[in-house]
């Protein structure tokens, strides 16, 4: 009876809710049409204002006849491109208003229309505030400097209000005082609005030290302080309200409909399903939950620009980029914004999933006290807080049951979420979004990153751009089944580095056994690629050349360590800093060392073909090369234990797993399950030590990559590719070939016995030297390669080609 009594008000409330949602004034179509209307009005005003600057005088005489005659007499024609209404609105808003500053009204209407349509344009309230201030400032300034309008002009540059305000202020503080007031107020607006201006002014006014040089200890101290500042800023960036945290929340008075947590949002920003990734906020905060639920808000320190300015002054002695001083980085024009038209997660979908999760858990007598949804581009994370006494393992075991109730693939339960005290249930969205590389590159987080080798992979569940520094990883293992986004992920990594690093600072070594995946980058040979001096192709595909290249990289690594030792530097960053400040002599062998990133596609094919000859140099590079700026990224579609061996896993702590077929494959890659529950199409798990992050990989299409490499290749490059050291190792014989330079110790004696007895028999060699069949067979192959015996004739003895010992001794001497 109690259960039925609870269900009745729930139904009545649902009916009221449905009626409320059917209101035409809250329809998405109405908001969409209203947003388009606002944008059209903004465009119309822009055309009218611009035309007024040219035809205002011609239309002035028409408007002087009276507004009724002007508007309703069809015989009256206006020169303004906005016709009579445009001319009239321009006269009222510009001449009788704020003059040329009225163009800012067009900007306000444009961002308002875009915001109604759901397009994020930064902090809306801040934009409105700054726009109003700028309208008043420009109106007063134009009213002061253009106080008297020419007789032939019908335009008042400062408008009616600018004229009145400037005259009043001029009478109050004088023209000199008004000029100073405008200067100070304008400078204040620019400094408050743009942090870069403040840092630049602060650097200009800062007192420079008397001595230009610094000793090693001072420079090391500066490095330490810079790193501490960056670390503190990373910790103290916090977001104060939930507007920038991605979550959708619902509340119900019914006990059966368990409420989702309600967001604290502003009334003018009702679309809080997703955060503003490209927000222009100066202060960014994250909720730091204490035991008493108090939020800690800490403003970030704006000292980063100052430290960068000081660093630039120190590095001005020598600039490695001057070799290609005219080089231009790729622009956003080469990338397409695939995000256009993406569908968003609706509230109905969130409520339905929430109810199904709660209902499924209650079937197994599991009660929860709170549930919250965090929306990502392809996955929504539902965080639940179980009631006291509920075992976490009990919820974890219901993974398949929850997936069945939601009728969705890729359900993944995180029990518990590290550092959150909640249990996470990841549910794929019905209409997943496409994360474009365009949106990742243009994001504020990527543009302002201070990482040495920044890699932007995509977006997390909280819709934040995921960026890591390859220098700190420092080597990556990428694995996943065929067609799940592995190749796109490699292209995303390469594209991120191309957008951030100059050709003098970064070199790639591409190893592609399949010969087609990385060949698109071959045109970058004279800009970004490194190869052996005798290599014909910049992208390495031949197995023997792969061995030589990897061994050559080992030689380069050892040479770099010798340079670091001579320079008394611990890593490549310290070494390059000393070289740039001209404290290392190039005549003694010192040189600027670019970062080298080795990318191996389809690692499994190399292991199956060459085995230890490939694995050992790779393991040595992974163990030692981090400090000298050499990093490796290997990819494979066969995540089996004979491919990803213990040596590889031990030296590649950072791993990226796309969707795989089984839990065993997931454990092979990540040492934990989860990759088998991904939904594919770029959905991946990134393991960094004990931390696991789910990321939707950005999408960059092949035509976009072609545009980027074409843009770079058309520019002036170096005379040749970056040449790796020559590898002096012996050439390995091919299949079926015998290397006579590594002859057996018994070769000469075996040759003499064969020629003396005139019988080429393997069993005879076994008996004469008391050796095994395998060694005797190798001796016979060597004798055949030397031309002493003929080829095998089955069970018959081989033919002896030399008839006397004298001929044999001459042959042996020649060998």
């Amino acid at each position: 009876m109690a259960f039925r009594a609870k269900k009745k008000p729930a139904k009545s409330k649902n009916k009221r809710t449905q009626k409320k949602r059917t209101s035409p004034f809250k329809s998405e179509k109405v908001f969409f049409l209203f947003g388009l209307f606002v944008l059209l009005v903004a465009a119309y005003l822009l055309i009218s204002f611009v035309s007024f600057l040219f035809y205002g005088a011609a239309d002035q005489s028409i408007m002087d006849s009276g507004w009724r005659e002007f508007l309703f007499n069809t015989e009256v024609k206006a020169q303004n491109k906005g016709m009579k209404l445009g001319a009239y609105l321009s006269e009222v808003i510009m001449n009788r208003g704020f003059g040329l500053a009225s163009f800012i009204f067009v900007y306000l209407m444009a961002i308002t229309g875009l915001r109604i349509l759901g397009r994020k344009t930064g902090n809306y309230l801040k934009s409105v505030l700054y726009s109003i201030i700028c309208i008043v400032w420009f109106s007063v300034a134009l009213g002061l400097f253009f106080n008297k309008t020419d007789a032939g002009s019908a335009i008042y540059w400062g408008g009616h209000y600018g004229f009145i305000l400037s005259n009043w202020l001029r009478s109050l503080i004088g023209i000199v005082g008004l000029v100073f007031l405008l200067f100070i107020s304008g400078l204040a607006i620019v400094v408050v609005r743009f942090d870069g201006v403040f840092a630049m002014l602060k650097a200009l006014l800062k007192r420079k030290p008397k001595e230009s040089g610094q000793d090693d200890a001072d420079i090391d101290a500066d490095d330490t302080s810079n790193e501490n500042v960056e670390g503190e800023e990373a910790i103290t960036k916090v977001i104060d309200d939930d507007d920038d945290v991605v979550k959708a929340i619902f509340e119900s008075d019914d006990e059966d409909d368990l409420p989702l947590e309600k967001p604290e949002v502003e009334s003018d920003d009702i679309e809080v399903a997703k955060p503003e990734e490209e927000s222009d906020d100066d202060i960014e905060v994250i909720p730091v939950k204490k035991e008493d639920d108090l939020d800690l808000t800490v403003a970030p320190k704006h000292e980063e620009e100052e430290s960068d300015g000081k660093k630039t002054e120190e590095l001005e002695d020598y600039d490695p980029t001057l070799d290609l001083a005219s080089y231009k980085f790729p622009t956003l024009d080469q990338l397409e914004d695939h995000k256009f038209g993406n569908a968003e997660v609706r509230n109905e979908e969130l409520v339905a999933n929430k109810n199904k999760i709660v209902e499924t858990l209650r079937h197994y007598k599991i009660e929860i006290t709170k549930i919250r949804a965090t929306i990502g581009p392809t996955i929504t994370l539902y965080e639940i807080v179980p009631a006291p006494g509920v075992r976490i393992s009990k919820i974890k075991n219901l993974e398949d049951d929850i997936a069945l109730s939601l009728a969705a693939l890729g359900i993944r339960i995180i029990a518990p979420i590290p550092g959150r005290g909640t249990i996470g249930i990841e549910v794929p969205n019905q209409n997943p979004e496409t994360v474009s590389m365009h949106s990742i590159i243009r994001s504020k987080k990527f543009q302002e990153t201070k990482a040495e080798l920044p890699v932007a992979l995509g977006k997390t569940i909280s819709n934040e751009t995921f960026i890591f520094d390859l220098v700190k990883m420092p080597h990556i293992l990428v694995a996943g089944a065929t067609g799940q986004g592995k190749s796109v992920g490699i292209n995303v990594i390469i594209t991120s580095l191309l957008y951030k690093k100059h050709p003098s600072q970064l070199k790639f070594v591409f190893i592609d056994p399949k010969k087609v995946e990385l060949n698109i980058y071959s045109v970058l040979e004279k800009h970004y690629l490194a190869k052996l001096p005798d290599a014909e192709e910049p992208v390495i595909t031949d197995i023997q050349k792969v061995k030589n290249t990897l061994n050559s990289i080992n030689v380069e690594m050892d040479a770099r360590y010798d340079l670091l030792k001579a320079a008394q530097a611990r890593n490549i960053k310290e070494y390059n800093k000393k070289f740039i400040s001209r404290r290392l002599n190039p005549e003694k062998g010192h040189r600027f060392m670019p970062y080298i990133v080795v990318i191996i596609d389809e690692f499994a094919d190399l292991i199956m073909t060459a085995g230890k000859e490939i694995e050992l140099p790779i393991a040595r590079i992974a163990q030692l090369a981090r400090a000298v700026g050499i990093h490796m990224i290997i990819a494979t579609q066969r995540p089996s234990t004979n491919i990803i061996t213990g040596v590889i896993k031990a030296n590649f702590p950072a791993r990226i797993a796309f969707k795989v077929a089984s839990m065993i494959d997931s454990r092979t890659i990540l040492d934990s399950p989860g990759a088998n529950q991904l939904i594919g199409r770029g959905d991946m798990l990134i393991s960094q030590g004990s931390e696991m992050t789910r990321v939707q990989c950005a999408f960059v299409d092949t035509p976009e990559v072609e545009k980027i490499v074409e843009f770079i290749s058309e520019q002036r490059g170096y005379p040749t590719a970056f040449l790796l050291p020559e590898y002096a190792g012996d050439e390995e014989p091919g299949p079926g070939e015998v290397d006579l330079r590594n002859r057996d110790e018994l070769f000469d004696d075996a040759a003499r016995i064969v020629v003396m007895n005139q019988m080429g028999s393997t069993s005879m060699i076994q008996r004469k030297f008391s050796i095994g069949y395998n060694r005797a067979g190798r001796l016979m192959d060597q004798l055949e390669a030397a031309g002493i015996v003929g080829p095998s004739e089955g069970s018959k003895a081989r033919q002896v080609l030399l008839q006397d010992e004298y001929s044999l001794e001459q042959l042996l001497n020649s060998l």
Side-chain angles (χ1 to χ4, degrees), residues 779-808:
L779 277 169
M780 189 61 67
D781 291 337
Q782 292 177 1
L783 292 173
E784 178 186 353
I788 299 175
V789 297
S792 174
E793 298 180 4
S795 58
K796 295 182 180 181
R798 295 177 184 241
Q799 180 182 359
V800 181
L801 302 179
L802 298 180
Q803 303 302 320
D804 52 59
E805 296 184 10
Y806 177 76
S807 301
L808 174 63

Side-chain angles (χ1 to χ4, degrees), residues 656-706:
I656 298 176
F658 291 87
K659 181 176 175 60
V660 295
S662 65
M663 184 184 297
I664 297 176
D665 292 342
S666 178
R667 291 187 181 276
T668 302
I669 305 169
L670 303 173
D671 294 328
S672 65
N676 57 308
Q677 297 166 321
L678 300 176
I679 62 175
R681 300 186 62 185
D683 191 16
M684 59 185 175
L685 288 173
I686 301 176
S687 173
Q688 305 177 68
S690 60
E691 182 181 357
M692 190 88 69
T693 307
R694 191 169 186 175
V695 176
Q696 175 61 38
C697 183
F699 177 70
V700 55
D701 205 359
T702 302
E704 298 176 68
V705 178
E706 291 176 348

Side-chain angles (χ1 to χ4, degrees), residues 325-339:
S326 61
Y327 177 80
K328 295 181 180 179
F329 286 93
T331 63
L332 288 175
D333 297 337
Q334 280 78 40
L335 297 173
E336 297 180 9
D337 191 359
H338 300 283
K339 193 176 180 180

Side-chain angles (χ1 to χ4, degrees), residues 535-577:
E536 298 178 359
E537 298 293 332
V539 178
I540 306 158
T541 57
D542 182 72
I543 296 298
Q544 183 59 44
K545 292 182 179 179
V546 170
K547 301 176 189 176
N548 294 341
T549 301
L550 291 175
N551 286 299
S552 174
I553 295 173
N554 275 272
V555 175
E556 171 72 12
M557 178 184 69
D558 295 335
R560 290 190 172 198
Y561 268 113
D562 292 338
L563 293 176
L564 260 63
K565 178 182 178 181
Q568 296 183 350
R570 294 173 299 173
N571 52 52
I572 186 175
K573 186 176 181 181
E574 294 182 6
Y575 178 88
N576 283 339
K577 190 169 185 178

Side-chain angles (χ1 to χ4, degrees), residues 592-638:
F592 180 83
M593 294 190 293
Y595 287 99
I596 298 177
V597 178
V598 184
I599 297 180
I600 303 177
D601 191 24
E602 202 41 67
F603 175 68
D605 184 72
L606 298 180
I607 290 295
M608 293 175 61
T609 306
K612 295 293 182 180
E613 297 175 278
I614 292 292
E615 183 179 358
L616 294 180
I618 287 178
R620 188 167 184 268
I621 293 172
Q623 290 170 349
L624 301 174
R626 171 182 183 176
V628 291
I630 301 177
H631 306 276
M632 295 198 71
I633 301 172
I634 62 176
T636 180
Q637 63 182 4
R638 293 188 57 189

Side-chain angles (χ1 to χ4, degrees), residues 15-262:
K15 291 180 180 179
R16 291 196 302 271
T17 305
Q18 293 175 357
K19 292 180 180 179
K20 186 176 180 181
R21 289 174 182 166
T22 57
S23 175
F25 298 102
K26 295 187 178 181
S27 173
E28 292 185 6
K29 296 180 180 179
V30 174
F31 278 100
F32 179 78
L33 293 176
F34 181 66
L36 285 180
F37 174 75
V38 174
L39 287 178
L40 290 175
V41 172
Y44 178 77
L45 286 179
L46 179 61
I47 295 173
S48 300
F49 287 175
V50 174
S51 298
F52 186 73
L53 299 178
F54 298 96
Y55 306 110
D59 295 336
Q60 188 68 38
S61 59
I62 301 176
M63 286 185 289
D64 289 342
S65 61
W67 67 273
R68 292 179 183 274
E69 181 74 13
F70 177 75
L71 293 178
F72 298 107
N73 189 350
T74 57
E75 297 180 358
V76 177
K77 303 295 183 182
Q79 298 294 325
N80 193 294
K81 299 300 181 182
M83 303 307 292
K84 292 189 293 184
L85 180 60
Y88 181 76
L89 290 175
S90 301
E91 168 68 20
V92 172
I93 298 176
M94 295 184 71
N95 273 358
R96 303 178 193 177
F98 295 93
L100 293 181
S102 302
F103 278 95
I104 303 179
F105 285 117
V106 178
Y107 166 75
L108 281 176
M109 293 194 69
I111 64 174
T112 301
L114 291 174
R115 191 166 187 84
I116 294 174
L117 292 176
R119 188 64 178 263
K120 301 301 183 181
T121 56
N123 192 310
Y124 178 72
L125 294 179
K126 183 180 293 185
S127 299
V128 172
L129 177 62
Y130 280 119
S131 297
I132 294 174
I133 294 174
C134 290
I135 288 173
V136 176
W137 189 91
F138 279 110
S139 180
V140 173
L142 293 172
L144 172 64
F145 295 110
F146 298 95
N147 192 266
K148 295 181 180 180
T149 304
D150 296 337
S153 175
I155 301 174
Y156 298 94
W157 301 105
H160 180 69
Y161 295 120
F163 177 79
I164 294 176
L165 287 174
S166 62
N167 284 341
W168 174 68
L169 290 172
R170 186 168 56 178
S171 65
L172 187 66
I173 59 178
I175 188 170
V176 177
L178 180 54
V179 171
F180 275 106
L181 177 63
L182 288 173
F183 175 76
I184 294 299
S185 58
L187 183 62
I189 293 172
V190 174
V191 169
V192 173
R193 182 66 181 87
F194 303 103
D195 293 337
V197 176
F198 172 72
M200 181 181 66
L201 292 176
K202 190 174 180 181
L204 289 175
L205 298 176
K206 185 178 179 181
R207 184 177 63 183
K208 296 183 178 180
K210 296 180 180 179
E211 297 180 2
S212 59
Q214 287 183 325
D215 57 6
D216 296 351
D218 293 338
I219 292 178
D220 292 340
D222 289 342
D223 290 343
T224 305
S225 63
N226 288 340
E227 293 176 358
N228 291 338
V229 169
E230 292 177 1
E232 292 173 3
E233 290 180 3
I235 295 173
T236 56
K237 276 190 176 180
V238 290
I239 300 177
D240 187 64
D241 70 19
D242 289 343
D243 190 294
D244 288 337
V245 178
V246 185
K247 59 183 180 180
I249 304 152
F250 305 90
E251 188 176 38
S252 173
D253 296 331
D254 188 5
E255 295 179 359
D256 284 291
D257 292 330
L258 196 63
L260 287 171
E261 208 174 11
K262 209 169 198 177

